[in-house]
Amino acid sequence: SQKPEVYDLVEKEVEQANRVLPRAARIRRFANLHKELDADEAELTRTRKLRRGFFEERYRDLVNGLFEAESKIDVSMQVKYQDGRMAQASTTVMVRDLKDEADA
């Protein structure tokens, strides 16, 4: 998800969506998560709805980085494997800024 090619594909889709949104509602920056959200890790409900409170707590550094104009965000979190083992995972998540068509 952190490959430039993947970001380019997502950016094209976001730009297309932004064309039909009012200016105040347009996406200005985005980041691809480093992992799929998982109900087994309490990030999603069993019906695949986002648990917002849990997400805000677990991904606080990522959310703050989006609002603080960071271009890269270091993320570290505890991961629980299906067999019950726990590990610490760290990675860097890239942030992509979008051009506002009115500014281009």
Side-chain angles (χ1 to χ4, degrees):
S1 70
Q2 298 303 301
K3 291 182 178 181
E5 299 87 3
V6 175
Y7 269 88
D8 291 343
L9 290 171
V10 172
E11 182 174 350
K12 286 179 187 176
E13 295 300 318
V14 171
E15 286 174 341
Q16 183 176 352
N18 274 350
R19 287 188 196 111
V20 298
L21 292 172
R23 187 175 178 137
R26 291 181 188 157
I27 297 168
R28 294 175 188 90
R29 314 181 82 223
F30 73 92
N32 292 337
L33 293 179
H34 57 290
K35 65 179 263 334
E36 184 175 349
L37 297 176
D38 189 356
D40 290 334
E41 293 185 39
E43 296 166 334
L44 300 173
T45 66
R46 292 288 171 200
T47 57
R48 311 280 300 157
K49 295 177 186 147
L50 181 65
R51 293 184 189 267
R52 292 182 186 179
F54 185 84
F55 184 89
E56 289 171 6
E57 180 182 323
R58 186 167 202 181
Y59 294 98
R60 180 174 288 130
D61 292 341
L62 185 59
V63 172
N64 289 339
L66 285 168
F67 285 101
E68 294 172 3
E70 300 287 336
S71 63
K72 296 179 184 178
I73 303 166
D74 293 322
V75 178
S76 180
M77 66 177 34
Q78 194 166 352
V79 178
K80 183 177 181 181
Y81 295 104
Q82 290 179 348
D83 64 5
R85 291 180 298 132
M86 302 293 278
Q88 192 70 22
S90 298
T91 191
T92 300
V93 174
M94 307 302 293
V95 177
R96 180 77 59 102
D97 289 306
L98 297 171
K99 294 179 183 171
D100 189 345
E101 288 184 10
D103 297 337

XYZ file of all heavy atoms in Angstrom:
853
model
N 0.810 -1.213 0.000
C 0.000 0.000 0.000
C 0.845 1.265 0.000
O 0.340 2.334 -0.281
C -0.929 0.005 1.201
O -0.216 0.180 2.404
N 2.127 1.145 0.308
C 2.991 2.318 0.378
C 3.779 2.559 -0.913
O 4.549 3.505 -1.000
C 3.960 2.196 1.556
C 3.260 2.135 2.915
C 2.381 3.339 3.163
O 2.866 4.465 3.158
N 1.100 3.120 3.372
N 3.547 1.743 -1.917
C 4.239 1.915 -3.194
C 3.684 3.145 -3.917
O 2.476 3.392 -3.896
C 4.056 0.686 -4.081
C 4.770 -0.530 -3.570
C 4.586 -1.677 -4.519
C 5.336 -2.894 -4.027
N 5.187 -4.005 -4.969
N 4.549 3.902 -4.580
C 4.079 5.081 -5.317
C 2.993 4.755 -6.340
O 2.071 5.540 -6.539
C 5.340 5.605 -6.002
C 6.469 5.102 -5.166
C 6.010 3.779 -4.627
N 3.081 3.576 -6.956
C 2.086 3.184 -7.947
C 0.692 3.059 -7.326
O -0.315 3.416 -7.932
C 2.472 1.853 -8.607
C 3.780 1.884 -9.348
C 4.994 1.592 -8.455
O 4.834 1.303 -7.240
O 6.111 1.679 -8.973
N 0.643 2.554 -6.110
C -0.632 2.404 -5.410
C -1.174 3.783 -5.042
O -2.356 4.075 -5.227
C -0.485 1.506 -4.162
C -1.784 1.461 -3.362
C -0.044 0.096 -4.565
N -0.306 4.646 -4.541
C -0.723 6.011 -4.216
C -1.245 6.735 -5.453
O -2.219 7.474 -5.386
C 0.429 6.798 -3.584
C 0.456 6.688 -2.078
C 1.134 5.661 -1.442
C -0.212 7.617 -1.290
C 1.155 5.556 -0.063
C -0.205 7.523 0.089
C 0.487 6.490 0.695
O 0.488 6.390 2.058
N -0.597 6.520 -6.599
C -1.046 7.155 -7.844
C -2.456 6.699 -8.219
O -3.290 7.512 -8.623
C -0.080 6.846 -8.995
C 1.275 7.519 -8.833
O 1.384 8.471 -8.033
O 2.226 7.083 -9.504
N -2.728 5.407 -8.086
C -4.066 4.882 -8.386
C -5.116 5.475 -7.452
O -6.186 5.897 -7.892
C -4.073 3.354 -8.281
C -3.308 2.595 -9.348
C -3.223 1.118 -8.985
C -3.973 2.768 -10.699
N -4.797 5.513 -6.161
C -5.739 6.070 -5.179
C -5.940 7.557 -5.438
O -7.066 8.063 -5.393
C -5.252 5.809 -3.743
C -6.124 6.543 -2.729
C -5.223 4.315 -3.446
N -4.859 8.264 -5.749
C -4.962 9.698 -5.999
C -5.914 9.989 -7.165
O -6.738 10.907 -7.095
C -3.589 10.292 -6.290
C -3.621 11.786 -6.507
C -2.243 12.394 -6.662
O -1.232 11.708 -6.418
O -2.173 13.584 -7.006
N -5.829 9.217 -8.228
C -6.727 9.420 -9.375
C -8.187 9.270 -8.961
O -9.046 10.046 -9.377
C -6.396 8.436 -10.496
C -5.127 8.774 -11.235
C -4.845 7.745 -12.302
C -3.493 8.002 -12.928
N -3.122 6.972 -13.910
N -8.473 8.276 -8.143
C -9.852 8.044 -7.692
C -10.325 9.170 -6.766
O -11.468 9.612 -6.853
C -9.965 6.686 -6.994
C -9.718 5.509 -7.910
C -10.696 5.435 -9.075
O -11.905 5.660 -8.860
O -10.251 5.160 -10.200
N -9.448 9.631 -5.894
C -9.808 10.723 -4.985
C -10.047 12.004 -5.783
O -11.008 12.736 -5.521
C -8.723 10.936 -3.903
C -8.977 12.199 -3.099
C -8.647 9.725 -2.979
N -9.201 12.284 -6.757
C -9.397 13.477 -7.586
C -10.733 13.411 -8.323
O -11.427 14.419 -8.452
C -8.241 13.634 -8.574
C -6.970 14.108 -7.915
C -5.777 14.127 -8.857
O -5.818 13.455 -9.922
O -4.785 14.788 -8.508
N -11.095 12.224 -8.797
C -12.376 12.057 -9.490
C -13.532 12.323 -8.520
O -14.493 13.008 -8.865
C -12.483 10.665 -10.081
C -13.745 10.436 -10.883
C -13.759 9.062 -11.538
O -12.783 8.332 -11.530
N -14.881 8.714 -12.107
N -13.445 11.810 -7.317
C -14.492 12.043 -6.318
C -14.557 13.520 -5.940
O -15.640 14.076 -5.752
C -14.239 11.190 -5.081
N -13.395 14.168 -5.834
C -13.350 15.584 -5.454
C -14.056 16.478 -6.468
O -14.571 17.537 -6.111
C -11.910 16.055 -5.286
C -11.363 15.778 -3.900
O -12.100 15.401 -2.992
N -10.066 15.948 -3.747
N -14.099 16.071 -7.718
C -14.732 16.894 -8.760
C -16.218 17.129 -8.510
O -16.762 18.139 -8.928
C -14.545 16.249 -10.128
C -13.146 16.356 -10.647
C -13.042 15.870 -12.100
N -11.655 15.634 -12.419
C -11.116 14.437 -12.637
N -11.861 13.352 -12.615
N -9.835 14.310 -12.902
N -16.865 16.197 -7.839
C -18.302 16.331 -7.597
C -18.633 16.797 -6.179
O -19.799 16.981 -5.853
C -19.047 15.008 -7.903
C -18.894 14.645 -9.364
C -18.571 13.895 -7.002
N -17.618 16.992 -5.372
C -17.835 17.445 -3.993
C -17.719 18.954 -3.893
O -16.941 19.570 -4.628
C -16.800 16.809 -3.056
C -16.908 15.312 -2.833
C -15.697 14.814 -2.053
C -18.189 14.975 -2.100
N -18.458 19.571 -2.966
C -18.263 21.001 -2.732
C -16.840 21.236 -2.227
O -16.243 20.367 -1.591
C -19.280 21.344 -1.648
C -20.053 20.127 -1.370
C -19.467 18.982 -2.127
N -16.300 22.392 -2.508
C -14.906 22.690 -2.164
C -14.581 22.396 -0.695
O -13.539 21.841 -0.376
C -14.602 24.141 -2.500
C -13.149 24.478 -2.336
C -12.843 25.891 -2.794
N -11.430 26.138 -2.562
C -10.646 26.742 -3.398
N -11.127 27.190 -4.531
N -9.380 26.924 -3.122
N -15.481 22.740 0.209
C -15.232 22.540 1.644
C -15.177 21.060 2.032
O -14.591 20.705 3.049
C -16.303 23.245 2.456
N -15.768 20.195 1.224
C -15.823 18.766 1.541
C -14.746 17.945 0.823
O -14.662 16.739 1.020
C -17.196 18.214 1.190
N -13.930 18.577 0.020
C -12.926 17.847 -0.766
C -11.791 17.318 0.102
O -11.396 17.928 1.089
C -12.351 18.757 -1.846
C -13.360 19.075 -2.911
C -12.786 19.941 -3.984
N -13.854 20.375 -4.877
C -13.806 21.433 -5.625
N -12.731 22.203 -5.639
N -14.823 21.747 -6.402
N -11.269 16.192 -0.328
C -10.114 15.585 0.336
C -8.872 16.348 -0.096
O -8.652 16.568 -1.284
C -10.010 14.096 -0.042
C -11.247 13.367 0.479
C -8.731 13.486 0.488
C -11.401 11.966 -0.064
N -8.084 16.770 0.864
C -6.871 17.547 0.576
C -5.591 16.738 0.743
O -4.596 16.990 0.097
C -6.821 18.775 1.483
C -7.930 19.765 1.201
C -7.906 20.922 2.209
N -9.068 21.770 2.046
C -10.224 21.609 2.663
N -10.385 20.614 3.505
N -11.228 22.425 2.459
N -5.639 15.753 1.651
C -4.482 14.895 1.927
C -5.003 13.504 2.239
O -6.087 13.354 2.771
C -3.697 15.385 3.144
C -3.424 16.849 3.170
C -2.620 17.254 4.404
N -1.229 16.965 4.066
C -0.360 16.395 4.887
N -0.700 16.069 6.082
N 0.874 16.168 4.497
N -4.205 12.507 1.927
C -4.590 11.152 2.302
C -3.363 10.294 2.549
O -2.256 10.623 2.123
C -5.492 10.512 1.235
C -4.777 10.120 -0.028
C -4.256 8.858 -0.184
C -4.625 11.032 -1.066
C -3.598 8.490 -1.348
C -3.978 10.685 -2.235
C -3.459 9.412 -2.380
N -3.584 9.223 3.261
C -2.544 8.231 3.518
C -3.173 6.859 3.385
O -4.323 6.652 3.789
C -1.966 8.409 4.913
N -2.447 5.944 2.809
C -2.891 4.552 2.750
C -2.423 3.878 4.034
O -1.250 3.968 4.388
C -2.279 3.834 1.548
C -2.811 4.350 0.235
O -3.889 4.916 0.173
N -2.045 4.148 -0.814
N -3.332 3.212 4.701
C -2.953 2.504 5.918
C -1.963 1.398 5.585
O -1.972 0.844 4.489
C -4.176 1.916 6.602
C -5.155 2.921 7.179
C -6.338 2.193 7.816
C -4.479 3.817 8.198
N -1.144 1.070 6.539
C -0.102 0.065 6.348
C -0.623 -1.356 6.502
O 0.088 -2.314 6.245
C 1.029 0.310 7.344
C 0.566 0.314 8.766
N -0.219 1.320 9.283
C 0.744 -0.572 9.751
C -0.487 1.066 10.533
N 0.075 -0.086 10.844
N -1.871 -1.485 6.934
C -2.463 -2.805 7.095
C -3.965 -2.708 6.900
O -4.549 -1.634 7.015
C -2.159 -3.390 8.475
C -2.774 -2.609 9.632
C -2.486 -3.211 10.968
C -3.487 -4.097 11.592
N -4.868 -4.062 11.360
N -4.581 -3.834 6.601
C -6.031 -3.881 6.463
C -6.659 -3.822 7.850
O -6.159 -4.442 8.801
C -6.436 -5.176 5.761
C -7.903 -5.271 5.480
C -8.264 -6.511 4.680
O -7.358 -7.193 4.170
O -9.472 -6.788 4.577
N -7.733 -3.061 7.972
C -8.447 -3.019 9.242
C -9.075 -4.385 9.494
O -9.528 -5.057 8.573
C -9.506 -1.917 9.220
C -8.957 -0.503 9.058
C -10.095 0.498 8.939
C -8.046 -0.128 10.205
N -9.108 -4.795 10.781
C -9.471 -6.162 11.101
C -10.442 -6.211 12.282
O -10.201 -5.606 13.322
C -8.194 -6.924 11.450
C -8.376 -8.409 11.603
O -9.511 -8.902 11.512
O -7.352 -9.093 11.819
N -11.528 -6.959 12.130
C -12.485 -7.136 13.222
C -11.854 -7.901 14.385
O -12.195 -7.669 15.548
C -13.731 -7.873 12.724
N -10.909 -8.800 14.107
C -10.253 -9.568 15.162
C -9.381 -8.695 16.057
O -9.035 -9.096 17.164
C -9.414 -10.700 14.577
C -10.274 -11.800 13.964
O -11.433 -11.945 14.401
O -9.786 -12.493 13.055
N -9.014 -7.527 15.587
C -8.219 -6.596 16.390
C -9.081 -5.457 16.923
O -8.567 -4.421 17.334
C -7.055 -6.049 15.560
C -6.048 -7.124 15.214
C -4.840 -6.577 14.495
O -4.376 -5.479 14.855
O -4.366 -7.249 13.579
N -10.406 -5.619 16.872
C -11.393 -4.664 17.393
C -11.400 -3.335 16.636
O -11.926 -2.361 17.125
C -11.184 -4.431 18.883
N -10.825 -3.302 15.441
C -10.848 -2.087 14.624
C -12.184 -1.951 13.894
O -12.614 -0.857 13.581
C -9.701 -2.113 13.612
C -8.346 -2.104 14.281
C -7.216 -2.470 13.334
O -7.441 -3.171 12.337
O -6.088 -2.047 13.621
N -12.810 -3.083 13.624
C -14.095 -3.123 12.928
C -15.072 -3.962 13.744
O -14.666 -4.859 14.484
C -13.947 -3.782 11.554
C -13.002 -3.154 10.555
C -12.869 -4.048 9.330
C -13.471 -1.780 10.159
N -16.349 -3.683 13.551
C -17.365 -4.556 14.121
C -17.441 -5.808 13.255
O -16.840 -5.865 12.173
C -18.744 -3.864 14.147
O -19.172 -3.661 12.798
C -18.698 -2.541 14.892
N -18.185 -6.783 13.675
C -18.354 -8.015 12.879
C -19.075 -7.730 11.567
O -18.967 -8.489 10.620
C -19.104 -9.080 13.683
C -18.298 -9.603 14.832
C -17.173 -10.468 14.348
N -16.277 -10.783 15.461
C -15.046 -11.182 15.320
N -14.538 -11.333 14.118
N -14.296 -11.428 16.347
N -19.806 -6.620 11.508
C -20.484 -6.241 10.261
C -19.636 -5.278 9.441
O -20.130 -4.629 8.536
C -21.863 -5.620 10.557
O -21.694 -4.505 11.425
C -22.795 -6.645 11.182
N -18.341 -5.177 9.792
C -17.331 -4.416 9.041
C -17.492 -2.901 9.144
O -17.051 -2.163 8.271
C -17.291 -4.828 7.566
C -17.219 -6.305 7.286
C -15.901 -6.954 7.399
N -14.921 -6.397 6.509
C -13.614 -6.499 6.722
N -13.167 -7.116 7.769
N -12.770 -5.969 5.902
N -18.100 -2.417 10.222
C -18.187 -0.979 10.455
C -17.001 -0.548 11.300
O -16.575 -1.263 12.207
C -19.497 -0.623 11.158
C -20.710 -0.898 10.315
C -21.970 -0.592 11.080
C -23.168 -1.020 10.257
N -24.253 -1.482 11.096
N -16.473 0.624 11.008
C -15.318 1.146 11.721
C -15.676 1.492 13.161
O -16.679 2.158 13.416
C -14.800 2.407 11.009
C -13.578 3.075 11.592
C -12.360 2.174 11.491
C -13.312 4.386 10.858
N -14.848 1.051 14.103
C -14.998 1.445 15.505
C -14.203 2.744 15.671
O -12.998 2.724 15.877
C -14.463 0.371 16.436
C -15.259 -0.897 16.429
C -14.693 -1.872 17.466
N -15.295 -3.162 17.329
C -16.358 -3.577 18.001
N -16.943 -2.767 18.862
N -16.827 -4.788 17.820
N -14.885 3.860 15.558
C -14.220 5.163 15.489
C -13.384 5.478 16.719
O -12.268 5.954 16.606
C -15.242 6.260 15.241
C -15.832 6.155 13.864
C -16.802 7.264 13.601
N -17.426 7.024 12.311
C -18.333 7.788 11.792
N -18.761 8.840 12.447
N -18.844 7.507 10.615
N -13.924 5.244 17.893
C -13.172 5.541 19.113
C -11.881 4.752 19.188
O -10.818 5.297 19.502
N -11.961 3.468 18.889
C -10.779 2.623 18.904
C -9.792 3.067 17.838
O -8.587 3.149 18.072
C -11.171 1.157 18.691
C -10.018 0.205 18.801
C -9.600 -0.258 20.028
C -9.336 -0.205 17.667
C -8.527 -1.127 20.130
C -8.266 -1.077 17.754
C -7.868 -1.533 18.994
N -10.312 3.387 16.656
C -9.458 3.842 15.559
C -8.730 5.127 15.944
O -7.527 5.253 15.730
C -10.288 4.062 14.293
C -9.472 4.432 13.094
C -8.957 3.461 12.278
C -9.198 5.767 12.804
C -8.185 3.791 11.166
C -8.432 6.108 11.706
C -7.928 5.118 10.890
N -9.453 6.086 16.504
C -8.844 7.359 16.896
C -7.738 7.161 17.919
O -6.702 7.829 17.862
C -9.906 8.308 17.454
C -10.842 8.837 16.398
C -12.015 9.607 16.978
O -12.056 9.835 18.206
O -12.908 9.976 16.194
N -7.939 6.226 18.842
C -6.926 5.961 19.857
C -5.718 5.241 19.265
O -4.585 5.640 19.458
C -7.535 5.121 20.976
C -6.565 4.793 22.083
C -7.211 3.927 23.144
O -8.406 4.120 23.443
O -6.502 3.037 23.659
N -5.977 4.187 18.508
C -4.893 3.360 17.987
C -4.073 4.071 16.901
O -2.870 3.862 16.784
C -5.461 2.067 17.426
C -4.373 1.114 16.998
C -4.912 -0.238 16.744
N -3.836 -1.205 16.864
C -3.995 -2.474 16.687
N -5.184 -2.961 16.424
N -2.982 -3.290 16.777
N -4.729 4.877 16.080
C -4.062 5.532 14.968
C -3.908 7.040 15.201
O -3.840 7.811 14.252
C -4.832 5.259 13.665
C -4.802 3.802 13.281
C -5.864 2.960 13.588
C -3.706 3.255 12.625
C -5.840 1.621 13.245
C -3.674 1.916 12.276
C -4.747 1.106 12.598
O -4.706 -0.220 12.247
N -3.826 7.453 16.444
C -3.726 8.869 16.805
C -2.555 9.559 16.107
O -2.712 10.647 15.556
C -3.595 9.023 18.315
C -3.480 10.472 18.754
C -3.487 10.612 20.256
N -4.856 10.339 20.699
C -5.174 9.492 21.681
N -4.237 8.841 22.314
N -6.424 9.306 22.018
N -1.380 8.930 16.095
C -0.208 9.539 15.458
C -0.437 9.757 13.965
O -0.042 10.775 13.407
C 1.040 8.671 15.659
C 1.488 8.633 17.109
O 1.083 9.527 17.881
O 2.234 7.702 17.467
N -1.092 8.823 13.331
C -1.374 8.934 11.903
C -2.366 10.066 11.629
O -2.146 10.897 10.747
C -1.923 7.606 11.383
C -2.170 7.482 9.895
C -0.888 7.711 9.110
C -2.740 6.120 9.576
N -3.429 10.133 12.413
C -4.429 11.193 12.239
C -3.800 12.561 12.496
O -3.985 13.498 11.709
C -5.645 10.955 13.160
C -6.598 12.142 13.124
C -6.374 9.675 12.762
N -3.028 12.674 13.567
C -2.368 13.947 13.863
C -1.398 14.346 12.760
O -1.306 15.517 12.399
C -1.636 13.880 15.208
C -2.585 13.837 16.381
O -3.738 14.220 16.276
N -2.095 13.352 17.503
N -0.675 13.388 12.206
C 0.260 13.665 11.123
C -0.433 14.209 9.886
O 0.105 15.059 9.185
N -1.637 13.743 9.625
C -2.393 14.257 8.480
C -2.751 15.726 8.674
O -2.727 16.509 7.740
C -3.668 13.434 8.265
C -3.457 12.059 7.649
C -4.730 11.232 7.764
C -3.028 12.177 6.200
N -3.080 16.099 9.892
C -3.465 17.478 10.167
C -2.270 18.395 10.373
O -2.394 19.608 10.275
C -4.400 17.546 11.376
C -5.785 17.085 11.062
C -6.199 15.819 11.430
C -6.668 17.893 10.376
C -7.482 15.381 11.133
C -7.949 17.468 10.067
C -8.350 16.206 10.447
N -1.097 17.837 10.660
C 0.100 18.639 10.909
C 0.995 18.754 9.680
O 2.147 19.149 9.790
C 0.881 18.043 12.081
C 0.121 18.151 13.387
C 0.785 17.400 14.517
O 1.888 16.838 14.310
O 0.198 17.359 15.604
N 0.506 18.401 8.543
C 1.219 18.537 7.270
C 2.513 17.736 7.206
O 3.474 18.142 6.577
C 1.473 20.006 6.954
N 2.539 16.583 7.836
C 3.694 15.688 7.744
C 3.678 15.005 6.377
O 2.621 14.731 5.825
C 3.634 14.622 8.844
C 3.628 15.161 10.257
C 4.966 15.705 10.685
O 5.998 15.292 10.125
O 4.975 16.555 11.581
N 4.849 14.716 5.826
C 4.905 13.981 4.562
C 5.141 12.494 4.788
O 4.847 11.665 3.933
C 5.992 14.545 3.659
O 7.249 14.390 4.268
N 5.650 12.160 5.966
C 5.863 10.772 6.374
C 5.495 10.677 7.847
O 5.808 11.572 8.624
C 7.325 10.356 6.212
C 7.825 10.360 4.802
C 9.278 9.955 4.776
C 9.831 10.047 3.364
N 11.262 9.697 3.330
N 4.860 9.582 8.212
C 4.453 9.396 9.593
C 4.950 8.027 10.056
O 4.638 7.005 9.447
C 2.928 9.471 9.739
C 2.409 10.802 9.195
C 2.511 9.285 11.196
C 0.915 10.844 8.987
N 5.741 8.038 11.123
C 6.206 6.778 11.701
C 5.102 6.213 12.579
O 4.572 6.911 13.454
C 7.479 6.994 12.516
C 8.651 7.389 11.643
O 8.755 6.854 10.522
O 9.460 8.231 12.064
N 4.746 4.956 12.332
C 3.663 4.302 13.051
C 4.230 3.067 13.738
O 4.959 2.290 13.132
C 2.528 3.893 12.080
C 1.431 3.163 12.815
C 1.988 5.102 11.361
N 3.883 2.912 15.007
C 4.307 1.749 15.771
C 3.101 1.241 16.553
O 2.388 2.038 17.165
C 5.442 2.114 16.723
O 5.848 0.989 17.449
N 2.877 -0.054 16.509
C 1.720 -0.601 17.219
C 1.952 -2.051 17.585
O 2.779 -2.732 16.990
C 0.459 -0.474 16.383
C 0.459 -1.300 15.142
S -1.064 -1.232 14.199
C -1.607 0.400 14.443
N 1.203 -2.496 18.565
C 1.255 -3.877 18.974
C 0.319 -4.678 18.082
O -0.809 -4.259 17.807
C 0.834 -4.006 20.433
C 1.169 -5.332 21.028
C 1.063 -5.313 22.538
O 0.880 -4.274 23.141
N 1.167 -6.464 23.137
N 0.807 -5.827 17.620
C 0.040 -6.687 16.719
C -0.184 -8.019 17.409
O 0.729 -8.589 17.996
C 0.808 -6.906 15.385
C 0.044 -7.832 14.473
C 1.080 -5.584 14.712
N -1.430 -8.518 17.328
C -1.756 -9.821 17.887
C -1.999 -10.796 16.739
O -2.856 -10.572 15.898
C -3.003 -9.732 18.762
C -3.361 -11.033 19.421
C -4.564 -10.868 20.321
C -4.918 -12.179 20.995
N -6.107 -12.016 21.845
N -1.221 -11.870 16.714
C -1.360 -12.887 15.682
C -2.491 -13.847 16.029
O -2.934 -13.916 17.182
C -0.047 -13.650 15.501
C 1.071 -12.783 14.986
C 2.078 -12.335 15.828
C 1.106 -12.394 13.651
C 3.102 -11.522 15.356
C 2.129 -11.582 13.175
C 3.116 -11.153 14.031
O 4.121 -10.352 13.558
N -2.963 -14.601 15.044
C -4.074 -15.517 15.255
C -3.768 -16.577 16.309
O -4.674 -17.061 16.980
C -4.465 -16.192 13.942
C -5.119 -15.241 12.974
C -5.497 -15.905 11.652
O -5.070 -17.017 11.369
N -6.288 -15.210 10.862
N -2.492 -16.922 16.458
C -2.128 -17.932 17.459
C -1.964 -17.338 18.855
O -1.569 -18.019 19.790
C -0.858 -18.685 17.037
C 0.372 -17.789 16.965
O 0.281 -16.599 17.323
O 1.430 -18.292 16.533
N -2.246 -16.039 19.010
C -2.187 -15.387 20.318
C -0.883 -14.663 20.624
O -0.798 -13.934 21.604
N 0.145 -14.880 19.803
C 1.416 -14.196 20.031
C 1.248 -12.694 19.805
O 0.438 -12.265 19.003
C 2.508 -14.707 19.078
C 2.958 -16.103 19.352
C 4.034 -16.554 18.370
N 3.491 -16.538 17.004
C 4.102 -15.989 15.948
N 5.280 -15.424 16.074
N 3.553 -16.023 14.762
N 2.034 -11.913 20.519
C 2.026 -10.458 20.384
C 3.392 -10.015 19.861
O 4.410 -10.613 20.195
C 1.756 -9.785 21.728
C 0.439 -10.195 22.371
S -0.975 -9.627 21.463
C -1.104 -7.975 22.048
N 3.396 -8.964 19.055
C 4.643 -8.404 18.525
C 4.469 -6.910 18.350
O 3.347 -6.395 18.295
C 5.003 -9.055 17.197
N 5.573 -6.201 18.271
C 5.566 -4.763 18.013
C 5.938 -4.554 16.546
O 6.949 -5.064 16.079
C 6.575 -4.049 18.921
C 6.456 -2.562 18.955
C 5.186 -2.083 19.663
O 4.595 -2.792 20.451
N 4.769 -0.883 19.362
N 5.105 -3.831 15.830
C 5.354 -3.560 14.416
C 5.543 -2.069 14.219
O 4.836 -1.260 14.822
C 4.201 -4.059 13.571
N 6.512 -1.708 13.397
C 6.780 -0.301 13.086
C 6.939 -0.144 11.588
O 7.505 -1.012 10.923
C 8.056 0.167 13.775
O 7.926 0.079 15.168
N 6.449 0.969 11.075
C 6.591 1.268 9.654
C 6.444 2.766 9.449
O 6.088 3.495 10.365
C 5.549 0.493 8.807
O 5.881 0.625 7.434
C 4.153 1.003 9.051
N 6.722 3.207 8.247
C 6.532 4.602 7.876
C 5.421 4.673 6.843
O 5.441 3.949 5.849
C 7.830 5.199 7.297
O 8.850 5.111 8.290
C 7.630 6.652 6.904
N 4.442 5.530 7.099
C 3.311 5.715 6.203
C 3.501 7.034 5.471
O 3.768 8.064 6.083
C 1.979 5.716 6.995
C 0.806 6.045 6.097
C 1.782 4.383 7.694
N 3.382 6.990 4.156
C 3.526 8.188 3.342
C 2.202 8.950 3.297
O 1.134 8.356 3.346
C 3.933 7.812 1.917
C 5.165 6.928 1.836
S 6.626 7.638 2.596
C 6.923 8.983 1.502
N 2.293 10.266 3.183
C 1.109 11.117 3.062
C 1.186 11.819 1.719
O 2.236 12.321 1.328
C 1.040 12.156 4.199
C -0.155 13.074 4.026
C 1.001 11.461 5.551
N 0.073 11.844 1.012
C 0.026 12.473 -0.307
C -0.853 13.710 -0.223
O -1.982 13.660 0.252
C -0.535 11.470 -1.295
C -0.683 11.918 -2.730
C 0.591 11.969 -3.559
N 1.348 10.777 -3.735
C 1.354 10.009 -4.821
N 0.574 10.294 -5.833
N 2.144 8.976 -4.893
N -0.339 14.846 -0.683
C -1.101 16.085 -0.785
C -1.715 16.167 -2.170
O -1.080 15.812 -3.161
C -0.201 17.303 -0.575
C 0.260 17.440 0.855
O -0.599 17.461 1.744
O 1.486 17.534 1.082
N -2.942 16.656 -2.233
C -3.626 16.819 -3.511
C -3.654 18.293 -3.886
O -3.765 19.154 -3.019
C -5.057 16.300 -3.428
C -5.183 14.820 -3.137
C -6.620 14.465 -2.859
C -4.654 13.998 -4.295
N -3.568 18.547 -5.167
C -3.683 19.936 -5.658
C -5.143 20.301 -5.741
O -5.967 19.496 -6.180
C -3.039 20.060 -7.035
C -1.557 19.843 -7.038
C -1.008 19.947 -8.435
C 0.476 19.648 -8.430
N 1.002 19.530 -9.786
N -5.438 21.493 -5.330
C -6.801 22.005 -5.483
C -6.922 22.513 -6.909
O -6.102 23.313 -7.366
C -7.053 23.131 -4.484
C -8.493 23.578 -4.431
O -9.267 23.245 -5.346
O -8.854 24.271 -3.462
N -7.936 22.048 -7.635
C -8.094 22.442 -9.037
C -8.209 23.955 -9.195
O -7.793 24.512 -10.205
C -9.327 21.766 -9.646
C -9.112 20.297 -9.878
C -10.295 19.644 -10.564
O -11.205 20.355 -11.021
O -10.289 18.422 -10.669
N -8.744 24.633 -8.186
C -8.857 26.097 -8.253
C -7.481 26.754 -8.169
O -7.274 27.849 -8.692
C -9.746 26.610 -7.127
N -6.515 26.062 -7.507
C -5.162 26.602 -7.369
C -4.263 26.234 -8.540
O -3.219 26.822 -8.729
C -4.517 26.102 -6.085
C -5.250 26.578 -4.846
O -5.961 27.605 -4.936
O -5.145 25.923 -3.790
N -4.654 25.203 -9.302
C -3.791 24.719 -10.391
C -3.802 25.622 -11.590
O -4.579 26.452 -11.821
C -4.228 23.315 -10.788
